[in-house]
Amino acid sequence: MTEAAETTEAWLRQWITDHGGVGGTVHARQGDDMILTAAVNIPSSVTEVVRVVPRGKGMAGLAFEHDAPVSTCNLKTDDTGNVRPGARAVDAKAAVAIPVHDAAGKVRGVVGIAYLGERAMDDRELALLTEAAQAVPPA
């Protein structure tokens, strides 16, 4: 693991803990794709599926495309089409994918967090998570 990857993973571990999550991911933008740069408590079968996420696919790809958080109350039962089938293997229910921005305001990545229980996130909680996610180290 590179020093940058270790730094990002350490940041992600702390961010998950600070916000009561059980797992999460960091994707960095590379053209029209999101490339996985860190994962915490995510099964290897899922990390393989989300290693490269195209714009508009899955929660991270939709957060990138719409430049807005994408959330679900329950990964296992979500039927919106926002959750990719592989994500159901994560031992969690609620999840949110949050776009992060560069200095020019363009999406530079997406941070995801998963929660053990089912929950709906209100605008206040999404705003707090979004603000905190902007601190993710650049890839």
Side-chain angles (χ1 to χ4, degrees), residues 17-100:
T17 299
D18 290 349
H19 297 284
V22 295
T25 58
V26 174
H27 284 83
R29 181 178 179 177
Q30 195 170 74
D32 272 347
D33 292 327
M34 286 287 151
I35 309 301
L36 185 68
T37 59
V40 172
N41 296 331
I42 304 295
S44 59
S45 60
V46 176
T47 60
E48 287 307 312
V49 171
V50 301
R51 192 153 307 282
V52 177
V53 177
R55 179 192 296 260
K57 299 293 182 189
M59 291 177 68
L62 287 167
F64 172 27
E65 181 175 67
H66 299 296
D67 193 7
V70 174
S71 63
T72 181
C73 293
N74 191 325
L75 287 166
K76 309 232 186 277
T77 62
D78 187 283
D79 61 2
T80 63
N82 294 348
V83 178
R84 293 176 78 167
R88 295 186 198 324
V90 174
D91 191 20
K93 291 193 177 172
V96 61
I98 301 162
V100 294

Side-chain angles (χ1 to χ4, degrees), residues 94-107:
V96 61
I98 301 162
V100 294
H101 303 90
D102 62 17
K106 296 193 188 263
V107 175

